[in-house]
Amino acid sequence: DNFYGELGNGTTADSSVPVAVNGLASGVAAISAGLFHTCALKDGAVSCWGRNDYGGLGNGTTMNSSTPVVVSGLATSGVSAISAGGYYTCALRNGGVWCWGENSYGQLGNGTTTHSSVPVAVSGLASGVTAISAGGYHTCALRNGGVQCWGENNYGQLGNGTTTNSNVPVAVSGMGSGVSAISAGWAHTCALKDGAVSCWGYNGFGQLGNGTTTTSNVPVAVSGMGS
């Protein structure tokens, strides 16, 4: 789909085969696709393209772009990871987390629910973060072996035992140490801890992997993935 220019080739024509993204023929170290936008990490800087209603492209506007635009304030080196969510994006820079775009549920993590077309710092995560993952409307970070999440929580996808949204990071129950990887889905999250997998949040299709379709607001062990 390329209705909003999310293929980045300067057109809005859909394509059933790969097309080259303008200006990104080499030097790209990471990519992440959101709902209707895409971002790339090149030479330590971030560029995004596609839909931009809420400022998810991070260039200070809300205009869609069918070619990559540079994210404001992240044009210099230092970014090591990016993750695009529903209508927003987050980046890991020098151990701290920055997010931009839609913020109705607090998924930017800066203590507000105000959208931002430029990156804003996530509260309490200025250093020590080693991984980030943006879901539909929630985000998670791995810091010092523990997991913290923020944003929408109607299905318990923040994993803190509640279903209350949070516009600042909250600690995931039982995930304070030993975690080496995280991945946020649309309304659920999973983590790799001490060689085992646990998930939490929406489970209507069995995505928590524990043999049920019962939603959980705290981590549950994935069956057969204990080590």
Side-chain angles (χ1 to χ4, degrees):
D1 179 40
N2 197 30
F3 186 83
Y4 300 101
E6 51 264 60
L7 300 188
N9 67 334
T11 78
T12 53
D14 300 343
S15 182
S16 60
V17 295
V19 293
V21 176
N22 288 9
L24 296 180
S26 63
V28 176
I31 54 173
S32 185
L35 184 58
F36 295 114
H37 75 292
T38 318
C39 294
L41 175 59
K42 181 181 180 181
D43 300 326
V46 183
S47 294
C48 299
W49 58 95
R51 189 170 181 174
N52 197 29
D53 301 43
Y54 301 99
L57 301 189
N59 67 332
T61 78
T62 53
M63 295 176 57
N64 300 337
S65 180
S66 61
T67 58
V69 294
V70 176
V71 175
S72 301
L74 297 180
T76 59
S77 61
V79 178
S80 56
I82 52 173
S83 188
Y87 295 96
Y88 73 105
T89 316
C90 293
L92 176 58
R93 183 185 186 195
N94 298 326
V97 185
W98 297 74
C99 299
W100 58 94
E102 204 235 340
N103 196 30
S104 300
Y105 303 96
Q107 60 264 49
L108 301 189
N110 68 332
T112 78
T113 52
T114 304
H115 310 320
S116 181
S117 60
V118 295
V120 294
V122 176
S123 300
L125 295 182
S127 63
V129 177
T130 54
I132 54 173
S133 187
Y137 300 106
H138 76 291
T139 319
C140 295
L142 176 58
R143 184 185 189 197
N144 299 326
V147 183
Q148 297 185 51
C149 299
W150 59 95
E152 186 182 43
N153 196 31
N154 56 335
Y155 295 106
Q157 57 263 51
L158 301 188
N160 67 333
T162 78
T163 52
T164 303
N165 299 340
S166 180
N167 56 22
V168 294
V170 294
V172 176
S173 300
M175 293 285 158
S177 63
V179 179
S180 56
I182 52 172
S183 186
W186 187 258
H188 77 293
T189 317
C190 294
L192 174 60
K193 180 182 179 182
D194 299 327
V197 184
S198 294
C199 299
W200 57 94
Y202 183 65
N203 196 31
F205 301 97
Q207 52 265 63
L208 301 189
N210 66 334
T212 78
T213 53
T214 303
T215 295
S216 178
N217 57 19
V218 293
V220 292
V222 176
S223 301
M225 295 285 169
S227 63

